Amino acid sequence: MTAQIIDGKQVAADMRAELKTKVAGLKEKGIVPGLAVVLVGEDPASKSYVTAKERACEEIGIYSNDNCLSADTSQEELMALVDKLNNDPKINGILVQLPLPKHLNESEVLLAIDPKKDVDGFHPINVGKMVVGEEAFLPCTPHGILQLLVRSNVTIEGSEVVVVGRSNIVGKPIANMLIQKSDTGNATVTVCHTRTKNLAEHTLRADIIIAAAGRPDTVTADMVKDGAVVIDVGVNRVEDATKKRGYRLVGDVSFDTVKEKASLITPVPGGVGPMTITMLLFNTVQSAKIAAGL
Ligand code: NAP
């Protein structure tokens, strides 16, 4: 069996077109969703991510407010900016780009963001609401994974899902979303990590594998059941002298061989990646609607 590719770029483009229509409808009511991004320091990867967010906002009609602060910004200055954005009615979503420079207290900053504007879904109030199944801003990468599954008509209910990785931004939240008693949940989920004794024993049982380990070739073909759905979240740089930049991006799954066993598979790049910013835009539009009482 050769897997069908889940085209994350296309799903993201479809969702952005839907959002653009929603934003146009809100504008007719005088509502313009606004997203504030806070970047401290000069990290090139973070900078290019922020630029991509800015472009995406422009594309769908969201007001984007960028705050680029120098690397020596103090905790007090950063907290004052978060407070200002919390109280700015033009802003519906606040995103503080992580990681912050070492001298800053990341959790204090994230806790200070108004949960109603926490479009990243990292505030403990939103995490708690997600866990108990209440409406909340869902964290963007796992929410993007869920959308890829749903929009590819993958059966989630009753499926055996194995998540490889237990981080707070991917592994734990996607596991949580998939066990919810809901239309997009009801799966039986196993979460694996570096202390898991026999990873293959688990993955071989899985109808759906979600790999978020941050290590190339964590999931190889001999670890995958015929016909499984494989979602590769990993983004890893491997040296490649044939590329101008000296490296290429690969996921956590041995794509070329696993695609011969899976029924559906996401590529890297072009799978989960394009969904993350899209879900951030989605949350920002939701936040603007809620703020307007719609
Ligand atoms: P992370 O915080 O480093 O967590 C990695 C998790 O994988 C940990 O729980 C770790 O276990 C587990 N792990 C590592 N190697 C393993 C192995 N060989 N077997 C089993 N478990 C293993 O990473 P993350 O932030 O979740 O990100 C994971 C990957 O997704 C990274 O490549 C990241 O770049 C990518 N990512 C992509 C997007 C996107 O938008 N496409 C967004 C976020 C992340 P322990 O807990 O035991 O250490």
Side-chain angles (χ1 to χ4, degrees), residues 141 164-167 169-170 193-194 212-215 233-236 273 276:
T141 301
V164 187
R166 56 174 164 185
S167 73
I169 65 165
V170 189
H193 42 78
T194 56
R215 210 195 64 163
V233 191
V235 181
N236 307 294
T276 298

Side-chain angles (χ1 to χ4, degrees), residues 28-275:
E28 280 169 17
K29 298 186 171 79
I31 300 158
V32 181
L35 174 67
V37 175
V38 179
L39 174 66
V40 187
E42 297 286 326
D43 178 56
S46 294
K47 270 200 143 176
S48 67
Y49 196 49
V50 168
T51 310
K53 279 171 196 158
E54 212 174 290
R55 255 192 251 123
C57 281
E58 202 176 311
E59 177 196 328
I60 71 156
I62 290 180
Y63 161 63
S64 119
N65 169 280
D66 294 329
N67 301 270
C68 297
L69 308 180
S70 66
D72 61 359
T73 298
S74 70
Q75 183 77 14
E76 291 67 33
E77 285 166 321
L78 186 52
M79 295 295 279
L81 175 60
V82 170
D83 187 53
K84 190 180 111 197
L85 296 170
N86 278 342
N87 290 300
D88 184 343
K90 290 202 297 298
I91 300 301
N92 303 104
I94 302 170
L95 181 137
V96 177
Q97 185 66 40
L98 303 179
L100 290 171
K102 295 255 178 303
H103 68 281
L104 295 170
N105 181 338
E106 213 163 86
S107 61
E108 190 186 11
V109 175
L110 295 183
L111 265 177
I113 296 173
D114 182 344
K116 293 193 209 73
K117 298 190 178 188
D118 168 42
V119 285
D120 245 347
F122 292 155
H123 194 290
I125 294 222
N126 282 317
V127 176
K129 283 186 172 178
M130 174 189 72
V131 171
V132 297
E134 277 182 30
E135 208 160 305
F137 292 123
L138 297 176
C140 301
T141 301
H143 194 188
I145 295 169
L146 195 61
Q147 287 296 324
L148 286 178
L149 293 173
V150 169
R151 287 170 184 251
S152 305
N153 298 314
V154 173
T155 303
I156 297 174
E157 179 160 327
S159 290
E160 289 277 345
V161 179
V162 170
V163 178
V164 187
R166 56 174 164 185
S167 73
N168 289 335
I169 65 165
V170 189
K172 281 182 199 158
I174 189 61
N176 236 295
M177 290 175 196
L178 293 170
I179 56 165
Q180 292 297 327
K181 207 167 188 172
S182 72
D183 291 349
T184 55
N186 290 325
T188 302
V189 181
T190 304
V191 181
C192 299
H193 42 78
T194 56
R195 306 297 167 91
T196 297
K197 281 198 183 124
N198 187 339
L199 182 59
E201 203 173 88
H202 296 283
T203 56
L204 275 168
R205 271 198 339 261
D207 303 307
I208 302 171
I209 298 174
I210 299 173
R215 210 195 64 163
D217 300 314
T218 302
V219 176
T220 51
D222 56 328
M223 297 165 75
V224 177
K225 181 171 88 170
D226 278 326
V229 174
V230 179
I231 304 291
D232 192 351
V233 191
V235 181
N236 307 294
R237 286 181 180 192
V238 293
E239 269 183 43
D240 187 342
T242 67
K243 302 278 176 204
K244 218 162 81 184
R245 53 190 180 182
Y247 67 87
R248 70 195 147 87
L249 294 179
V250 300
D252 292 346
V253 173
S254 309
F255 181 82
D256 291 339
T257 46
V258 171
K259 83 171 190 315
E260 299 306 323
K261 286 187 97 176
S263 58
L264 282 167
I265 189 167
T266 59
V268 176
V272 175
M275 295 301 291

Side-chain angles (χ1 to χ4, degrees), residues 8-25:
K9 273 195 221 158
Q10 187 56 54
V11 178
D14 293 346
M15 286 200 74
R16 288 185 194 194
E18 290 163 22
L19 283 171
K20 198 171 172 173
T21 308
K22 269 193 198 165
V23 170

